[in-house]
Amino acid sequence: MKIQEYQAKEIFSRYGIPVEKHTLCNTAADVTAAYQREFGTGKAVVKAQVLTGGRGKAGGVAVVNNEQDAREQAQRILGMSIKGLPVRKVLLSEAVDIAAEYYVGLTVDRQARTALLMLSASGGMDIEQVAALTPEKLIRFPIDPFVGMPDYVARRLAFSLFGDKEHALRIGRILQAIYRIYTNEDASLVEINPLALTTGGELVAIDAKIMFDDNALYRHPHLRDLQELTEVEKIEAEAKEKGFSYVHTEGDIGCMVNGAGLAMTTMDMIKLNGGEPANFLDIGGSSNPDKVTEAMKLLMRDRQVRVVLINIFGGITRCDDVALGLIHASEQVKSDIPIVVRLTGTNEEQGRELLRDYPRFQIATTMREATLMALNAKKNLKN
Ligand code: GDP
Ligand code: MN
């Protein structure tokens, strides 16, 4: 689970990591009011709050110099989408005079079965480049879980980044705080990029990123409240409640399949023939018509879906039951999206017979035929 920068900064503050003064705003008017209240005049920073990195490069971070500037930049950033995520909130932050930007990250090294601390004096927006092109500038330290981060370890690590004793002691405390967040909260990533050294000699976390281990969330009910689901994640969560395995992907062919293996194969078939699946959806083993209706509603909520491909293997599942579910669903969910159906196995003839009365359905017998029909249906769509 990811959380927003402002939420991560709240946790940082609680653990004693210095962050700059900031206010969360939902509208440009909020930003203007906060600017007047907190800054009056002078420099501040407006920052998009979205669950992705690279906001700076995308134009989602702006230094502003006066109230009008603040309002204009807030309006602009609140109208943006960054990597497909609409910006709904911004942070108005105190502008920090930066002398140097450091990178500090703590994550899981699955191969080594330890936590891995990464440090770099070349922090900021290009850390991925640094890691790729000059990996020697990104220092990596495995942290022995049985030793953790006592003072002497923190200091030793700190001196690898700073010659100056005062700075090293301060960053040492930040490393210990990061390690406490990582262990206490079951985080899988705690990252500060950049950790700014200000011209006044202070160390401030001006960006904050925390990811939590989903499998440990049950131990932290308070963390669950921090979760802000995207539209897609909301649909995925709802699907889970209804007992479906549903994963949204990038394409436009919505799939409804029974069995995870068949669902994967269906996605492969679509790709093999030059299409892109919009999702993975395994409706499971039962042939309850209501379930089919629910699955259909789910697919129709995804606005990317332009054609639906239904691929059912009837074992215990009866194809006539599935057909009844589909008919029921198409009566409930009004839409003119083409639906290709392939039923095979138990009662497949009866199933197909039921569907024949409804021109809405394009009936196929083999998986390949069904895939080609779906791709063809997409090709024939206007625009
Ligand atoms: P990211 O691009 O999503 O990682 O967003 P960051 O919060 O890391 O901001 C990107 C860059 O904006 C930072 O690396 C800084 O160079 C710059 N920046 C952010 N806050 C401030 C600030 O208070 N003062 C100055 N001068 N630059 C800032
Ligand atoms: Mn950053």
Side-chain angles (χ1 to χ4, degrees), residues 245-249 255 259-264 267 277-282:
S245 299
Y246 175 82
V247 182
H248 174 90
T249 53
C255 307
L262 190 59
M264 298 287 275
M267 293 173 84
N279 65 283
F280 169 101
L281 171 58
D282 172 9

Side-chain angles (χ1 to χ4, degrees), residues 40 98 223 327:
I98 301 174
L223 289 179
I327 292 163

Side-chain angles (χ1 to χ4, degrees), residues 65-120:
N65 292 301
N66 54 53
E67 192 185 307
Q68 188 192 347
D69 219 10
R71 185 179 342 105
E72 282 172 10
Q73 290 300 331
Q75 260 159 4
R76 181 183 64 80
I77 293 174
L78 281 165
M80 281 176 82
S81 279
I82 301 179
K83 297 185 187 162
L85 302 171
V87 180
R88 301 199 198 285
K89 294 176 191 151
V90 293
L91 213 54
L92 180 70
S93 301
E94 181 188 350
V96 173
D97 286 324
I98 301 174
E101 299 192 356
Y102 295 88
Y103 174 89
V104 180
L106 183 64
T107 186
V108 189
D109 184 339
R110 290 178 198 282
Q111 252 167 346
R113 300 178 186 178
T114 62
L116 181 72
L117 181 72
M118 290 173 289
L119 298 174
S120 179

Side-chain angles (χ1 to χ4, degrees), residues 28 37 55 77 171 298:
R37 195 174 59 238
R55 294 164 302 164
I77 293 174
I171 203 170
L298 202 67

